[in-house]
Amino acid sequence: MTRSKTGPVLTASDYQHLARELVDADVWDFIEGGAESERTLRANVSAFDRLRLRPRVMTDVSTVDTAVSLFGAGHRTPIGVGPTAYHRLVNPEGEVATARGASAVGALFVVSVFASRSLEDIAAASDGRLWLHLYWFRRREVMTGLIRRAEDAGYTALVLTVDAPRIGRRWRDMRNGFAIGGDVAAVNIDAAVMALTHHSDVGHSAIADHAAQSFDAAVTWADLAWLRSQTRLPIVLKGILTAEDAALAVEHGADGVVVSNHGGRQLDGAVASLEALPEVVDAVAGAIPVLFDGGVRRGTDALVALALGARMVLLGRPPLWGLAAGGADGVEGLLRTTTDELAHAMALAGRPRLADLDRSVLRARPGGEL
Ligand SMILES: Cc1cc2nc3c(=O)[nH]c(=O)nc-3n(C[C@H](O)[C@H](O)[C@H](O)COP(=O)(O)O)c2cc1C
Ligand SMILES: CC(C)CC(=O)C(=O)O
């Protein structure tokens, strides 16, 4: 077990405290921060406090099964690593260490298009549960090149993030003049395309300036047909928060959606992820899997999202805390801890299989709503 100066590392919050000591202040702000006044960032976490669990008893919980399959592939836990950019900001091995940690627990790892290690090196370190995340670049050949490489390296799905036609106004990054430091880079994309990300200018976020230059903000639902024509891999849309968009995603042939507000980093004031989950699940009505991210910090949070209809839960910041605190072992420890907490909660809630998790597990606190 990992130990810190103050005792054993038992929870995601313990990893967070360890990581904070080790990460440069501007990088810490980049990781922890959200858009503008960070209302949505806070709401993502506090939304879980409004629900209570309704445990059932005497249901034989002698074995608890957390295995789940998606698009024909098995995962040992429904808790995966969501796409986050530039893992080398917190550990020299970067995404290669993350892949090793995720593989050790049989968890999905969604690799960011802004990964700081090559897609091929990450694949070589993984036991194969990898998806590739994409933004929609103005230069579509950047996307097609990445898709070919991901297919060749054995990535099994694409995650297109649709909530970032531009990057949210992240005041911390703007004040810090945050830019990506010299020896860290988005190595899977042509350096000329990424040049602006290294340009520090107080009052500006370099990653926001880069996105304004290179992301295609004109994309509409009709464009999805082009992406569909480029690959046979399942396409999952990340950043869906409404029933309307969930229905459009199904109509336009998406293979899955991720209910997400990008960890409160895009539209400040947007609905908390957890609040949006029921309407998206209802609108999709079982047609495609619904995944979830935002504010999951404990196994019981994952249990709540799964009970509301998520098939899988992704973590954004917590794996970065694990990676900063302990490299591959830290990622493994963080994911194992959170999965163990989930299994424990399933046993004590009297629901030993993921299929047993439904809305009957939950009730709103008095005065609240589901
Ligand atoms: C440092 C950092 C980098 C991120 N990079 C990306 C990214 O490249 N693409 C993306 O779709 N989402 C990105 N996200 C958002 C996460 O995928 C995820 O939606 C969010 O962090 C989930 O919330 P959580 O941190 O509360 O778990 C990033 C988040 C953080 C904290
Ligand atoms: C480099 C950024 C554009 C990655 C991202 O999506 C984020 O920081 O939230």
Side-chain angles (χ1 to χ4, degrees), residues 336-352:
R336 201 178 289 289
T337 293
T338 316
T339 300
D340 286 351
E341 288 172 350
L342 169 65
H344 185 73
M346 288 168 68
L348 291 181
R351 272 83 165 189

Side-chain angles (χ1 to χ4, degrees), residues 30 83-86 112 114 133 135 161 163-164 167 170 173 180 194 197 207-208 210-211 215 238 262 265-266:
F30 169 62
T84 52
Y86 301 110
S112 171
F114 295 132
H133 142 76
Y135 281 118
T161 295
D163 61 10
I167 292 296
R170 304 173 187 170
D173 293 347
I180 304 303
M194 297 307 299
T197 59
I207 60 170
H210 169 259
F215 291 6
K238 172 173 178 283
H262 213 114
R265 296 160 77 82
Q266 288 298 105

Side-chain angles (χ1 to χ4, degrees), residues 2-291:
T2 310
R3 297 187 71 84
S4 73
K5 278 181 290 192
T6 51
V9 176
L10 290 181
T11 65
S13 159
D14 292 341
Y15 282 101
Q16 181 183 25
H17 286 108
L18 267 182
R20 180 171 203 151
E21 304 286 306
L22 298 165
V23 173
D24 290 344
D26 63 334
V27 171
W28 189 249
D29 275 341
F30 169 62
I31 292 172
E32 295 295 277
E36 303 188 15
S37 54
E38 302 187 338
R39 284 177 297 171
T40 297
L41 173 64
R42 287 190 295 277
N44 276 353
V45 174
S46 62
F48 287 96
D49 291 337
R50 290 206 294 276
L51 295 174
R52 291 289 186 251
L53 304 176
R54 301 178 64 250
R56 300 294 307 277
V57 297
M58 310 275 283
T59 62
D60 184 0
V61 295
S62 52
T63 52
V64 174
D65 186 4
T66 60
V68 62
S69 101
L70 259 178
F71 308 131
H75 305 269
R76 293 209 297 275
T77 167
I79 299 172
V81 180
T84 52
Y86 301 110
H87 288 196
R88 290 194 62 240
L89 287 172
V90 300
N91 176 280
E93 284 192 298
E95 289 80 2
V96 163
T98 312
R100 280 214 307 278
S103 293
V105 295
L108 172 67
F109 175 21
V110 184
V111 175
S112 171
V113 71
F114 295 132
S116 50
R117 296 293 305 269
S118 78
L119 300 185
E120 294 76 12
D121 285 353
I122 299 166
S126 160
D127 69 353
R129 297 178 181 89
L130 293 176
W131 297 358
L132 175 67
H133 142 76
L134 292 174
Y135 281 118
W136 199 298
F137 290 94
R138 289 182 210 263
R139 288 175 49 181
R140 292 194 182 183
E141 73 276 14
V142 173
M143 300 170 74
T144 46
L146 287 162
I147 292 168
R148 288 292 88 74
R149 281 174 58 196
E151 288 172 346
D152 290 347
Y155 290 64
T156 56
L158 299 177
V159 175
L160 177 70
T161 295
V162 291
D163 61 10
R166 47 171 84 185
I167 292 296
R169 288 176 67 81
R170 304 173 187 170
W171 292 341
R172 303 194 208 200
D173 293 347
M174 294 164 80
R175 292 200 167 100
N176 292 335
F178 182 67
I180 304 303
D183 69 330
V184 178
V187 296
N188 294 295
I189 304 176
D190 187 339
V193 174
M194 297 307 299
L196 257 191
T197 59
H198 300 293
H199 181 76
S200 180
D201 181 9
V202 173
H204 284 256
S205 153
I207 60 170
D209 290 350
H210 169 259
Q213 176 194 60
S214 64
F215 291 6
D216 186 351
V219 172
T220 70
W221 289 100
D223 294 303
L224 261 192
W226 173 80
L227 186 61
R228 181 71 287 165
S229 73
Q230 299 302 311
T231 180
R232 301 170 78 94
L233 294 178
I235 298 173
V236 177
L237 301 185
K238 172 173 178 283
I240 301 295
L241 290 172
T242 60
E244 297 92 307
D245 282 341
L248 284 165
V250 173
E251 187 185 320
H252 287 85
D255 299 289
V257 292
V258 186
V259 173
S260 172
N261 54 34
H262 213 114
R265 296 160 77 82
Q266 288 298 105
L267 177 63
D268 190 33
V271 63
S273 264
L274 193 70
E275 292 163 358
L277 180 57
E279 76 173 70
V280 171
V281 167
D282 291 346
V284 163
I288 53 176
V290 174
L291 289 77

Side-chain angles (χ1 to χ4, degrees), residues 310-356:
R311 273 284 285 286
M312 192 176 284
V313 166
L314 302 177
L315 307 177
R317 295 173 180 88
L320 294 176
W321 302 334
L323 182 64
D329 290 347
V331 174
E332 176 183 344
L334 180 286
L335 291 170
R336 201 178 289 289
T337 293
T338 316
T339 300
D340 286 351
E341 288 172 350
L342 169 65
H344 185 73
M346 288 168 68
L348 291 181
R351 272 83 165 189
R353 289 165 297 270
L354 295 176
D356 304 328

